[in-house]
Amino acid sequence: MPTNDKNQKTTDLSAILEGLLNADIEFILVGGLAAVVQGAPVTTMDVDIVYRRSSDNISKLFQFLNSIDAIYRRPDPKIIWPKEDDFFGHMLLSTRMGPLDVLAFIEERKNYEDLIRDTIDIPFRGHIVRVLDLKTLIDLKKASKDAKEKQRLLVLEETLRQLNQRSDKDE
């Protein structure tokens, strides 16, 4: 899907995921795409990850971001490239493959180590993606004041209810 962003040629969220996995980066998929891969009928336009904040992992992530021409998303045409010192908060980036949000933490300041126990492993192109489970996504979104998130919350809750219902029938 073409975009208006000069740095972005196409949006290929699966290519971003595959690139992260091929670069051996430790991350947890969160946000809309995490919900989608668990069956939620929502739309998302970016990849949101929470990364492990070890120096080795940050180094690999920084190299990966350089390889996909990552720049900060901005309302003006100024181009700002991420630096290795930027790995302390949120980096909302445009890449040649599409938008990528690189997060040190999410709601309630939960970081990689806090979230890892609430992930599920999903096979993807010969790799395993750690994905924040739907129940935890819902729990974290409940505190949101954003109207869009409140609407999405209803869809996520219904998806979880249906998944649990199917699971009960399978047992």
Side-chain angles (χ1 to χ4, degrees), residues 20-165:
L20 288 162
L21 293 163
N22 286 337
D24 198 29
I25 295 163
E26 293 179 86
F27 69 93
I28 299 169
L29 184 64
V30 299
L33 192 54
V36 167
V37 300
Q38 294 176 77
V42 295
T43 304
T44 189
M45 303 303 282
D46 64 0
V47 174
D48 300 299
I49 65 165
V50 173
Y51 60 94
R52 185 169 186 211
R53 293 177 66 187
S54 69
S55 57
D56 182 52
N57 199 54
I58 287 172
S59 179
K60 288 189 253 184
L61 182 52
F62 181 65
Q63 288 174 356
F64 173 71
L65 294 177
N66 284 334
S67 77
I68 60 170
D69 304 322
I71 60 171
Y72 281 94
R73 290 196 305 268
R74 298 177 48 87
D76 60 39
K78 186 174 182 179
I79 294 175
I80 300 177
W81 303 89
K83 299 180 295 304
E84 214 158 342
D85 312 1
D86 294 344
F87 288 86
F88 58 85
H90 295 356
M91 293 189 287
L92 309 180
L93 305 169
S94 291
T95 77
R96 62 181 155 77
M97 293 183 226
L100 172 61
D101 294 352
V102 177
L103 313 170
F105 53 87
I106 56 175
E107 288 88 346
E108 300 175 8
R109 297 196 62 84
K110 291 190 181 249
N111 63 22
Y112 180 93
E113 286 75 18
D114 298 326
L115 297 168
I116 194 70
R117 67 182 173 274
D118 297 317
T119 62
I120 58 172
D121 292 345
I122 295 185
F124 177 74
R125 296 184 180 173
H127 299 278
I128 296 294
V129 179
R130 288 187 175 119
V131 179
L132 193 61
D133 68 45
L134 207 48
K135 181 187 177 317
T136 304
L137 279 170
I138 290 167
D139 290 345
L140 292 172
K141 296 296 180 197
K142 282 183 179 176
S144 178
K145 307 265 187 267
D146 186 326
K148 185 176 104 180
E149 291 297 338
K150 292 288 186 192
Q151 289 177 342
R152 183 176 278 188
L153 183 59
L154 297 173
V155 173
L156 298 181
E157 289 173 329
E158 178 59 18
T159 300
L160 182 60
R161 187 191 69 72
Q162 289 179 18
L163 289 172
N164 287 339
Q165 196 172 44

